[in-house]
Amino acid sequence: MKNILVVGAGGQIGSELVPHLQKIYGNSNVVAADINTKCADVFKDGPFELLDALDAQKFADIVKKYKIDTIYNMVALLSATGEKNPQLAWKINMGALMNSLEIAREFNCAVFTPSSIGAFGPNSPKDNTPQDTIMRPTTIYGICKVTGEMLGDYYFQKYGVDTRSVRFPGIISNVTLPGGGTTDYAVEIYYGAIQQKHYVCPLPEGTYLDMMYMPDALDACVQLMEADPSKLKHRNSFNVTAMSFEPSQIYAAIKKRIPDFTMEYNVDPVKKAIADSWPNYMDDSCAREEWGWNPKWNLETMTDDMLKVIGEKYKAGLLK
């Protein structure tokens, strides 16, 4: 990777992926692109382009202008948001991916696009979900992800486009606020602990989901894109995970550190139905074997870091 374009740079992962890539490859070699004009101020350390990823011509012009060789397509409406407007979710999620793949084919770029645990469905094995198994998701978000995985493989096999992807679990960040995902509770709970000493959980006790701390997610993106292609038996898409827990476990981890923290449940039926269709925990042995995936964070170390960083923001008056 020499000249990198991150499309959807203002999103949950993109907003932290851009500076992470800049540290590795240099500020001028990482171009941030987003539809949100406010991102120009956020990404002032390197090139920024205003881009609607559905505008194929503008997309292609940016790739040509900066001699891009690697595209990170991070554009997506997330699971719970997508269920509110499935037609829009399909239009955005698939439109951005198709443009990424077609432009990569034209300009000989590699493409990273994230898949998700949402690609699995209620018929997939719940425990130790295999790399290769039945995938019949029941959300538009999951349908987009499965379609995206198949398209990635198709463009690799038919056109030789270097497509790579991981199935991300819920991603927990101390920088970017949640954006409409089913696993967002695992971010919101830390803010609730710091700000109100209380949290109302939308998922019921006992709902296990795979999770990952953002630093591990960023490492996964780079490690996969830098991996020796001759060792990749799979491409689209690798199971990756770091931890699996249910709401009472993350609550207990926080309460150990904030004894007066309390939590109650008010179950959101839409989020519950989505979570119930997803794995409890995935088998990520293929990622470990094929490109050396090895996460560094667990629930305890992540909780220490989340509370420290969010607590400092709260004291400094940076939280609304």
Side-chain angles (χ1 to χ4, degrees):
M1 293 187 286
K2 295 173 184 173
N3 295 310
I4 302 165
L5 174 64
V6 181
V7 186
Q12 183 190 23
I13 300 176
S15 58
E16 295 186 56
L17 179 61
V18 169
H20 183 72
L21 292 171
Q22 287 174 333
K23 287 178 186 176
I24 299 170
Y25 302 102
N27 289 3
S28 62
N29 297 97
V30 181
V31 182
D34 200 276
I35 197 170
N36 188 345
T37 56
K38 294 179 182 178
C39 290
D41 295 328
V42 176
F43 299 117
K44 56 184 180 293
D45 292 337
F48 173 77
E49 293 282 345
L50 193 64
L51 174 66
D52 178 348
L54 302 186
D55 183 344
Q57 187 59 58
K58 178 77 180 293
F59 197 156
D61 289 345
I62 292 170
V63 168
K64 190 174 181 180
K65 175 181 176 181
Y66 292 96
K67 298 181 173 61
I68 297 298
D69 57 57
T70 305
I71 299 169
Y72 281 85
N73 169 43
M74 312 306 288
V75 176
L77 286 190
L78 299 182
S79 54
T81 303
E83 287 308 290
K84 295 174 184 175
N85 194 337
Q87 294 78 18
L88 181 64
W90 178 267
K91 179 182 178 181
I92 291 174
N93 296 6
M94 299 314 302
L97 176 59
M98 278 301 300
N99 283 345
S100 299
L101 292 170
E102 273 296 295
I103 290 165
R105 178 165 76 99
E106 181 180 355
F107 292 96
N108 194 29
C109 302
V111 178
F112 175 91
T113 191
S115 188
S116 162
I117 56 172
F120 297 106
N123 296 323
S124 305
K126 298 282 284 182
D127 297 327
N128 212 30
T129 309
Q131 171 70 38
D132 301 306
T133 187
I134 186 170
M135 303 176 78
R136 301 278 296 178
T138 52
T139 65
I140 193 66
Y141 175 74
I143 292 165
C144 289
K145 290 303 185 185
V146 170
T147 307
E149 291 185 17
M150 296 171 72
L151 273 173
D153 281 337
Y154 181 80
Y155 268 74
F156 170 67
Q157 291 159 4
K158 188 171 181 67
Y159 302 117
V161 178
D162 185 359
T163 57
R164 307 185 189 192
S165 176
V166 297
R167 293 180 186 129
F168 276 130
I171 296 179
I172 299 169
S173 168
N174 58 45
V175 175
T176 311
L177 292 172
T182 302
T183 57
D184 283 351
Y185 91 89
V187 180
E188 295 166 350
I189 191 171
Y190 289 105
Y191 285 89
I194 294 292
Q195 292 176 289
Q196 293 90 28
K197 299 289 192 295
H198 183 71
Y199 180 65
V200 180
C201 184
L203 293 180
E205 186 173 357
T207 305
Y208 280 88
L209 289 167
D210 278 303
M211 299 283 181
M212 182 182 294
Y213 201 25
M214 183 65 84
D216 276 334
L218 302 179
D219 285 344
C221 295
V222 176
Q223 287 170 14
L224 176 56
M225 294 307 288
E226 289 286 8
D228 180 349
S230 68
K231 296 182 179 178
L232 299 181
K233 298 173 186 173
H234 299 84
R235 280 180 168 269
N236 302 279
S237 178
F238 285 95
N239 287 356
V240 289
T241 187
M243 60 192 96
S244 176
F245 54 76
E246 50 91 15
S248 70
Q249 291 175 320
I250 191 171
Y251 167 65
I254 296 171
K255 193 170 179 65
K256 277 198 295 188
R257 295 153 175 87
I258 304 176
D260 56 345
F261 175 52
T262 58
M263 184 175 78
E264 63 180 300
Y265 294 92
N266 183 15
V267 175
D268 179 327
V270 174
K271 289 187 175 182
K272 178 184 183 299
I274 294 172
D276 286 348
S277 74
W278 289 357
N280 294 332
Y281 60 95
M282 295 183 288
D283 174 8
D284 61 0
S285 57
C286 288
R288 293 173 183 268
E289 292 166 7
E290 293 177 38
W291 49 274
W293 167 241
N294 186 24
K296 300 180 179 70
W297 295 83
N298 58 36
L299 177 57
E300 294 297 325
T301 55
M302 178 183 72
T303 297
D304 284 334
D305 198 55
M306 284 288 288
L307 293 177
K308 175 178 177 289
V309 174
I310 296 171
E312 289 170 354
K313 288 183 183 179
Y314 183 65
K315 289 175 185 175
L318 299 176
L319 300 182
K320 294 179 181 180

